[in-house]
Amino acid sequence: VTNEFSGRKNTATLLRAFDIVRRRYPGTTLRLIGADHGPGEKAEEWAAEHGLTSGVTFLGMQSREDVLREMREADLLVHPAREEPFGLVIIEAMSQGLPIVGGEQSGGVPYILDDGAFGILVDVDRAEHIAAGVFRYLDNPEDYVRFSALGLQRVADAFDNHRITDTYVEAYRDLLAGTW
C-alpha cells in the first residue's frame, strides 16, 4: 500500500524480493495498492520490463474500505519504504492482525515496531533481506502467530484513538503552560 512508485517508496526492491520468495513458495501472491500501482501504471511497467510480474496483482488506487478488506484477506504486510515519517498503513495492518516486515532505518517504522519487538526489521535496500524477513514468518508459524498477536496488542496499547487524543491534549496543555 503506497502512494507512488519511487525510489523512496522502494517498490522495485520489494518486487525483486518477492521474486526470491516465489522461488521457495511458488503459490505466494503480492497485491500492490496505491498510486502508480494499478494495471498499466508505473509499477507494472517496471515489473514487466524486469520480468517480475509473476504472482503480482496491480490493484492501483482503492477506497479505504477496500484497503482494509485487502488487509483482512492478506497474510502479512511488507513495508519496503526507505523513508516513512510515521507509517499509518503499518498501524492499520497491525490492527487487522497482520505481521509486519519493515525497514530498520526507515524513519518511524522502528518506532512503530518498537525496534523489532512487534515486527521484523530488515535492510529494505537489499531484496534478499526483505525476502529473509518474509521467510521468517513463512518458515516459522509460531513467529507468525506471535507477531500477529503482538501487533494487535501494540496498536491497542500505543495507538488507540483515546490514547492519541490524550497525548495531544497533554502536549497542548504543556505548550500553553510554557512547559513544553
Side-chain angles (χ1 to χ4, degrees):
V1 180
T2 187
N3 61 7
E4 63 186 69
F5 183 77
S6 69
R8 187 171 60 92
K9 292 300 183 177
N10 204 25
T11 306
T13 306
L14 172 61
L15 288 162
R16 287 184 181 105
F18 181 66
D19 185 55
I20 296 167
V21 170
R22 257 182 88 82
R23 284 186 227 142
R24 187 184 301 181
Y25 290 95
T28 56
T29 59
L30 174 64
R31 299 176 66 78
L32 297 174
I33 297 173
D36 297 335
H37 289 76
E41 294 180 347
K42 290 180 185 178
E44 185 177 37
E45 289 175 358
W46 186 93
E49 288 171 13
H50 292 85
L52 298 172
T53 59
S54 183
V56 182
T57 303
F58 297 87
L59 296 170
M61 293 299 296
Q62 302 288 307
S63 69
R64 178 167 167 43
E65 293 79 25
D66 287 340
V67 171
L68 291 173
R69 180 185 45 76
E70 287 288 336
M71 286 182 179
R72 283 190 296 274
E73 294 174 5
D75 293 312
L76 62 97
L77 178 87
V78 178
H79 190 275
R82 291 181 172 111
E83 302 173 14
E84 189 64 63
F86 186 66
L88 183 58
V89 71
I90 296 171
I91 294 169
E92 290 172 332
M94 290 167 66
S95 77
Q96 302 301 313
L98 294 180
I100 309 297
V101 175
E104 63 191 5
Q105 300 291 321
S106 300
V109 175
Y111 165 74
I112 294 169
L113 299 179
D114 195 16
D115 293 321
F118 296 96
I120 296 172
L121 294 171
V122 300
D123 177 356
V124 293
D125 285 322
R126 300 191 55 189
E128 63 274 15
H129 288 212
I130 295 173
V134 172
F135 290 146
R136 181 161 169 201
Y137 289 129
L138 297 179
D139 295 342
N140 302 293
E142 62 281 353
D143 279 349
Y144 181 92
V145 171
R146 182 170 59 88
F147 278 107
S148 178
L150 286 169
L152 288 167
Q153 191 61 51
R154 173 75 166 155
V155 170
D157 290 345
F159 302 111
D160 172 80
N161 286 337
H162 298 292
R163 183 175 306 279
I164 298 296
T165 302
D166 291 346
T167 301
Y168 273 104
V169 169
E170 184 178 322
Y172 285 127
R173 283 188 184 137
D174 290 348
L175 184 63
L176 291 171
T179 59
W180 181 310

Coordinates of all heavy atoms in Angstrom, one line a residue, residues 43-104:
A43 N 4.4 1.0 -11.8 CA 4.9 -0.2 -11.1 C 4.8 -1.5 -12.0 O 5.8 -2.2 -12.1 CB 4.2 -0.5 -9.8
E44 N 3.7 -1.6 -12.7 CA 3.5 -2.8 -13.5 C 4.5 -2.7 -14.8 O 5.1 -3.7 -15.2 CB 2.1 -2.9 -14.0 CG 1.9 -4.2 -14.8 CD 0.5 -4.5 -15.2 OE1 -0.2 -3.5 -15.6 OE2 0.1 -5.6 -15.2
E45 N 4.6 -1.5 -15.3 CA 5.5 -1.3 -16.5 C 6.9 -1.7 -16.1 O 7.6 -2.4 -16.8 CB 5.5 0.1 -17.0 CG 4.2 0.5 -17.7 CD 4.1 1.9 -18.1 OE1 5.1 2.7 -17.8 OE2 3.1 2.3 -18.7
W46 N 7.4 -1.2 -14.9 CA 8.7 -1.5 -14.4 C 8.9 -3.0 -14.2 O 9.9 -3.6 -14.6 CB 9.0 -0.7 -13.1 CG 10.5 -0.9 -12.7 CD1 11.5 -0.1 -13.0 CD2 11.0 -2.0 -11.9 NE1 12.7 -0.6 -12.5 CE2 12.4 -1.8 -11.8 CE3 10.4 -3.1 -11.3 CZ2 13.2 -2.6 -11.0 CZ3 11.2 -4.0 -10.6 CH2 12.6 -3.7 -10.4
A47 N 7.9 -3.6 -13.5 CA 8.0 -5.1 -13.2 C 8.0 -5.9 -14.5 O 8.8 -6.8 -14.6 CB 6.8 -5.5 -12.4
A48 N 7.2 -5.5 -15.5 CA 7.2 -6.2 -16.8 C 8.6 -6.1 -17.5 O 9.1 -7.1 -18.0 CB 6.1 -5.7 -17.7
E49 N 9.2 -4.9 -17.5 CA 10.5 -4.7 -18.1 C 11.5 -5.6 -17.5 O 12.5 -6.0 -18.1 CB 10.9 -3.3 -18.0 CG 10.2 -2.3 -18.9 CD 10.5 -0.8 -18.5 OE1 11.5 -0.6 -17.8 OE2 9.7 0.0 -19.0
H50 N 11.3 -5.9 -16.2 CA 12.3 -6.7 -15.4 C 11.9 -8.2 -15.2 O 12.6 -8.9 -14.4 CB 12.6 -6.0 -14.1 CG 13.3 -4.7 -14.3 ND1 12.7 -3.5 -14.5 CD2 14.7 -4.4 -14.3 CE1 13.5 -2.6 -14.6 NE2 14.8 -3.1 -14.5
G51 N 10.8 -8.6 -15.8 CA 10.4 -10.0 -15.7 C 9.9 -10.3 -14.3 O 10.1 -11.5 -13.9
L52 N 9.3 -9.4 -13.6 CA 8.9 -9.6 -12.2 C 7.4 -9.5 -12.0 O 6.9 -9.0 -10.9 CB 9.6 -8.6 -11.3 CG 11.2 -8.7 -11.3 CD1 11.8 -7.6 -10.6 CD2 11.6 -10.1 -10.8
T53 N 6.6 -9.9 -12.9 CA 5.1 -9.8 -12.7 C 4.4 -11.0 -12.3 O 3.3 -11.0 -11.9 CB 4.4 -9.3 -14.1 OG1 4.7 -10.3 -15.1 CG2 4.9 -7.9 -14.5
S54 N 5.1 -12.2 -12.2 CA 4.5 -13.4 -11.9 C 4.0 -13.4 -10.4 O 4.8 -13.1 -9.5 CB 5.5 -14.6 -12.0 OG 4.9 -15.8 -11.8
G55 N 2.8 -13.7 -10.3 CA 2.2 -13.7 -8.9 C 1.8 -12.3 -8.4 O 1.3 -12.3 -7.2
V56 N 2.0 -11.3 -9.1 CA 1.7 -9.9 -8.7 C 0.4 -9.4 -9.2 O 0.2 -9.5 -10.5 CB 2.9 -9.0 -9.0 CG1 2.6 -7.6 -8.5 CG2 4.2 -9.5 -8.5
T57 N -0.4 -8.8 -8.4 CA -1.6 -8.2 -8.9 C -1.5 -6.7 -8.6 O -1.2 -6.3 -7.5 CB -2.9 -8.7 -8.1 OG1 -2.9 -10.1 -8.3 CG2 -4.1 -8.0 -8.6
F58 N -1.7 -5.9 -9.6 CA -1.5 -4.5 -9.5 C -2.9 -3.9 -9.4 O -3.7 -3.8 -10.4 CB -0.8 -3.9 -10.8 CG 0.6 -4.4 -10.9 CD1 0.9 -5.7 -11.5 CD2 1.7 -3.8 -10.3 CE1 2.2 -6.2 -11.6 CE2 3.0 -4.2 -10.4 CZ 3.2 -5.4 -11.1
L59 N -3.3 -3.5 -8.2 CA -4.7 -3.1 -7.9 C -4.9 -1.6 -8.1 O -6.0 -1.1 -8.4 CB -5.1 -3.5 -6.5 CG -5.2 -5.0 -6.3 CD1 -5.3 -5.2 -4.8 CD2 -6.3 -5.6 -7.0
G60 N -3.8 -0.8 -7.9 CA -4.0 0.7 -8.1 C -4.7 1.3 -6.9 O -4.8 0.7 -5.8
M61 N -5.2 2.5 -7.1 CA -5.9 3.2 -6.1 C -7.2 2.4 -5.7 O -7.9 1.9 -6.5 CB -6.3 4.6 -6.6 CG -5.1 5.5 -6.8 SD -4.1 5.8 -5.3 CE -5.3 6.7 -4.3
Q62 N -7.4 2.4 -4.3 CA -8.5 1.7 -3.8 C -9.1 2.6 -2.7 O -8.4 3.4 -2.1 CB -8.1 0.4 -3.1 CG -7.4 -0.6 -4.1 CD -8.4 -1.2 -5.1 OE1 -9.4 -1.7 -4.7 NE2 -8.1 -1.1 -6.3
S63 N -10.4 2.4 -2.4 CA -11.0 3.1 -1.3 C -10.4 2.6 0.1 O -9.9 1.5 0.1 CB -12.5 2.9 -1.3 OG -12.8 1.6 -0.9
R64 N -10.6 3.4 1.1 CA -10.1 3.0 2.4 C -10.7 1.6 2.8 O -10.1 0.8 3.4 CB -10.4 4.1 3.5 CG -10.0 3.7 4.9 CD -10.1 4.9 5.8 NE -10.0 4.7 7.2 CZ -9.2 3.9 7.9 NH1 -8.4 3.1 7.2 NH2 -9.2 3.8 9.2
E65 N -12.0 1.5 2.5 CA -12.7 0.2 2.9 C -12.1 -0.9 2.1 O -11.9 -2.0 2.7 CB -14.2 0.4 2.6 CG -15.0 1.3 3.4 CD -14.8 2.8 3.0 OE1 -14.4 3.1 1.8 OE2 -14.9 3.7 3.9
D66 N -11.8 -0.7 0.9 CA -11.2 -1.8 0.1 C -9.8 -2.1 0.5 O -9.4 -3.3 0.6 CB -11.2 -1.4 -1.4 CG -12.6 -1.5 -2.1 OD1 -13.4 -2.2 -1.5 OD2 -12.7 -0.9 -3.1
V67 N -9.0 -1.1 1.0 CA -7.7 -1.4 1.5 C -7.8 -2.2 2.8 O -7.1 -3.2 2.9 CB -6.9 -0.1 1.8 CG1 -5.6 -0.3 2.6 CG2 -6.6 0.7 0.5
L68 N -8.7 -1.9 3.6 CA -8.9 -2.6 4.9 C -9.4 -4.0 4.6 O -8.9 -5.0 5.2 CB -9.8 -1.9 5.9 CG -9.2 -0.6 6.5 CD1 -10.3 0.1 7.3 CD2 -8.0 -0.9 7.3
R69 N -10.2 -4.2 3.6 CA -10.7 -5.6 3.2 C -9.5 -6.4 2.7 O -9.3 -7.5 3.0 CB -11.8 -5.5 2.1 CG -12.2 -6.8 1.7 CD -13.2 -6.8 0.5 NE -12.9 -5.9 -0.5 CZ -12.0 -6.1 -1.5 NH1 -11.3 -7.2 -1.5 NH2 -11.7 -5.2 -2.4
E70 N -8.6 -5.7 1.8 CA -7.4 -6.4 1.3 C -6.6 -6.9 2.5 O -6.0 -7.9 2.5 CB -6.7 -5.5 0.4 CG -7.3 -5.3 -1.0 CD -7.2 -6.6 -1.9 OE1 -6.3 -7.4 -1.7 OE2 -8.1 -6.7 -2.8
M71 N -6.4 -6.0 3.5 CA -5.6 -6.3 4.7 C -6.2 -7.5 5.4 O -5.5 -8.4 5.9 CB -5.4 -5.1 5.6 CG -4.5 -4.1 5.1 SD -4.3 -2.7 6.2 CE -3.2 -1.7 5.4
R72 N -7.5 -7.5 5.6 CA -8.1 -8.6 6.3 C -7.9 -9.9 5.6 O -7.9 -11.0 6.2 CB -9.6 -8.4 6.5 CG -9.9 -7.4 7.6 CD -11.4 -7.3 7.9 NE -12.2 -6.8 6.8 CZ -12.5 -5.5 6.6 NH1 -11.9 -4.6 7.3 NH2 -13.2 -5.2 5.5
E73 N -7.8 -9.9 4.3 CA -7.6 -11.1 3.5 C -6.1 -11.5 3.3 O -5.8 -12.6 2.8 CB -8.3 -10.9 2.1 CG -9.8 -10.8 2.2 CD -10.5 -10.5 0.9 OE1 -9.8 -10.4 -0.2 OE2 -11.7 -10.3 0.9
A74 N -5.2 -10.6 3.6 CA -3.8 -10.8 3.4 C -3.2 -11.6 4.6 O -3.9 -11.8 5.6 CB -3.1 -9.5 3.4
D75 N -2.0 -12.1 4.4 CA -1.3 -12.8 5.4 C -0.2 -12.0 6.1 O 0.1 -12.3 7.3 CB -0.6 -14.1 4.8 CG -1.7 -15.0 4.3 OD1 -2.6 -15.3 5.1 OD2 -1.5 -15.5 3.2
L76 N 0.4 -11.0 5.5 CA 1.3 -10.1 6.1 C 1.5 -8.9 5.3 O 1.1 -8.8 4.1 CB 2.7 -10.8 6.4 CG 3.5 -11.3 5.2 CD1 4.5 -10.3 4.8 CD2 4.2 -12.6 5.6
L77 N 2.1 -7.9 5.9 CA 2.4 -6.6 5.2 C 3.9 -6.4 5.1 O 4.6 -6.5 6.2 CB 1.8 -5.4 5.9 CG 2.1 -4.1 5.2 CD1 1.1 -3.8 4.1 CD2 2.1 -2.9 6.2
V78 N 4.4 -6.2 3.9 CA 5.8 -5.8 3.8 C 5.8 -4.3 3.4 O 5.2 -3.9 2.5 CB 6.5 -6.6 2.6 CG1 7.9 -6.2 2.5 CG2 6.4 -8.1 2.9
H79 N 6.5 -3.6 4.3 CA 6.6 -2.1 4.1 C 8.0 -1.8 3.7 O 8.9 -1.6 4.5 CB 6.2 -1.5 5.5 CG 6.0 0.0 5.4 ND1 7.1 0.9 5.4 CD2 4.9 0.7 5.2 CE1 6.6 2.1 5.3 NE2 5.3 2.0 5.2
P80 N 8.3 -1.7 2.4 CA 9.7 -1.5 1.9 C 10.2 -0.1 1.8 O 11.3 0.1 1.4 CB 9.6 -2.1 0.5 CG 8.2 -1.7 0.0 CD 7.3 -1.8 1.3
A81 N 9.4 0.9 2.3 CA 9.8 2.3 2.1 C 11.1 2.6 2.8 O 11.4 2.1 3.9 CB 8.7 3.2 2.7
R82 N 11.9 3.4 2.2 CA 13.2 3.8 2.7 C 13.0 4.9 3.7 O 13.8 5.0 4.7 CB 14.1 4.3 1.6 CG 14.6 3.2 0.7 CD 15.5 3.7 -0.4 NE 16.1 2.6 -1.1 CZ 15.8 2.3 -2.4 NH1 15.0 3.1 -3.1 NH2 16.4 1.3 -3.0
E83 N 12.0 5.7 3.5 CA 11.7 6.8 4.4 C 10.2 6.7 4.8 O 9.3 6.4 3.9 CB 11.8 8.2 3.7 CG 13.2 8.4 3.2 CD 13.2 9.7 2.4 OE1 12.2 10.5 2.5 OE2 14.1 9.9 1.6
E84 N 9.9 6.9 6.1 CA 8.5 6.9 6.5 C 8.4 7.6 7.8 O 8.8 7.2 8.8 CB 8.0 5.4 6.7 CG 6.5 5.4 6.9 CD 5.7 5.8 5.7 OE1 5.8 5.2 4.7 OE2 5.0 6.8 5.9
P85 N 7.9 8.9 7.7 CA 7.8 9.7 9.0 C 7.0 9.0 10.1 O 7.4 9.0 11.2 CB 7.1 10.9 8.5 CG 7.3 11.0 7.1 CD 7.4 9.6 6.6
F86 N 5.9 8.3 9.7 CA 5.1 7.6 10.7 C 4.6 6.3 10.3 O 4.9 5.3 10.9 CB 3.9 8.5 11.2 CG 3.2 7.8 12.3 CD1 3.8 7.7 13.5 CD2 1.9 7.3 12.1 CE1 3.2 7.0 14.6 CE2 1.3 6.7 13.2 CZ 1.9 6.5 14.4
G87 N 3.9 6.1 9.2 CA 3.6 4.8 8.7 C 2.2 4.3 9.2 O 2.1 3.2 9.8
L88 N 1.2 5.1 9.0 CA -0.2 4.8 9.4 C -0.6 3.4 8.8 O -1.3 2.6 9.4 CB -1.2 5.8 9.0 CG -2.6 5.6 9.4 CD1 -2.7 5.5 10.9 CD2 -3.5 6.8 8.9
V89 N -0.2 3.1 7.6 CA -0.5 1.8 6.9 C 0.0 0.7 7.8 O -0.7 -0.4 7.8 CB 0.0 1.8 5.5 CG1 1.5 1.6 5.4 CG2 -0.7 0.6 4.8
I90 N 1.1 0.8 8.5 CA 1.6 -0.3 9.3 C 0.7 -0.5 10.5 O 0.3 -1.6 10.8 CB 3.0 0.1 9.8 CG1 4.0 0.1 8.6 CG2 3.5 -0.9 10.9 CD1 5.4 0.6 9.0
I91 N 0.2 0.6 11.1 CA -0.7 0.5 12.2 C -2.0 -0.1 11.8 O -2.6 -0.9 12.5 CB -0.9 1.9 12.9 CG1 0.4 2.3 13.5 CG2 -2.0 1.9 13.9 CD1 0.5 3.7 14.0
E92 N -2.5 0.3 10.6 CA -3.8 -0.2 10.1 C -3.6 -1.7 9.9 O -4.5 -2.5 10.2 CB -4.2 0.5 8.8 CG -4.6 1.9 9.1 CD -4.9 2.7 7.8 OE1 -4.2 2.4 6.8 OE2 -5.7 3.6 7.8
A93 N -2.5 -2.1 9.3 CA -2.2 -3.6 9.1 C -2.2 -4.3 10.4 O -2.7 -5.4 10.5 CB -1.0 -3.8 8.2
M94 N -1.4 -3.8 11.4 CA -1.3 -4.5 12.7 C -2.7 -4.6 13.3 O -3.0 -5.6 13.9 CB -0.4 -3.7 13.6 CG 1.1 -3.8 13.1 SD 2.2 -2.6 13.9 CE 2.2 -3.2 15.6
S95 N -3.6 -3.6 13.1 CA -4.9 -3.6 13.7 C -5.8 -4.7 13.1 O -6.8 -5.1 13.6 CB -5.6 -2.3 13.6 OG -6.1 -2.1 12.2
Q96 N -5.3 -5.2 11.9 CA -6.0 -6.3 11.2 C -5.3 -7.7 11.5 O -5.7 -8.7 10.9 CB -6.1 -6.1 9.7 CG -6.8 -4.8 9.3 CD -8.2 -4.7 9.8 OE1 -9.0 -5.7 9.6 NE2 -8.6 -3.6 10.4
G97 N -4.3 -7.6 12.4 CA -3.7 -8.9 12.8 C -2.5 -9.3 11.8 O -2.0 -10.4 11.9
L98 N -2.1 -8.4 11.0 CA -1.0 -8.7 10.0 C 0.3 -8.5 10.7 O 0.6 -7.4 11.2 CB -1.1 -7.8 8.8 CG -2.3 -8.0 7.9 CD1 -2.2 -7.1 6.7 CD2 -2.4 -9.5 7.4
P99 N 1.2 -9.5 10.6 CA 2.6 -9.3 11.0 C 3.3 -8.4 9.9 O 2.9 -8.3 8.8 CB 3.2 -10.7 10.9 CG 2.1 -11.6 10.9 CD 0.9 -10.9 10.3
I100 N 4.3 -7.7 10.3 CA 4.9 -6.7 9.5 C 6.4 -7.0 9.3 O 7.1 -7.4 10.2 CB 4.9 -5.3 10.2 CG1 3.4 -5.0 10.6 CG2 5.5 -4.2 9.3 CD1 2.4 -4.8 9.5
V101 N 6.9 -6.8 8.0 CA 8.3 -6.7 7.7 C 8.5 -5.2 7.3 O 7.8 -4.7 6.4 CB 8.7 -7.6 6.5 CG1 10.1 -7.4 6.1 CG2 8.4 -9.1 6.9
G102 N 9.4 -4.5 8.0 CA 9.6 -3.1 7.6 C 11.1 -2.7 7.7 O 11.9 -3.6 8.2
G103 N 11.4 -1.5 7.4 CA 12.8 -1.1 7.3 C 13.4 -0.7 8.7 O 12.8 0.1 9.4
E104 N 14.6 -1.2 8.9 CA 15.2 -1.0 10.2 C 15.7 0.5 10.3 O 16.0 0.9 11.4 CB 16.4 -2.0 10.4 CG 17.5 -1.9 9.3 CD 18.5 -3.0 9.4 OE1 18.3 -4.0 10.2 OE2 19.4 -3.0 8.6

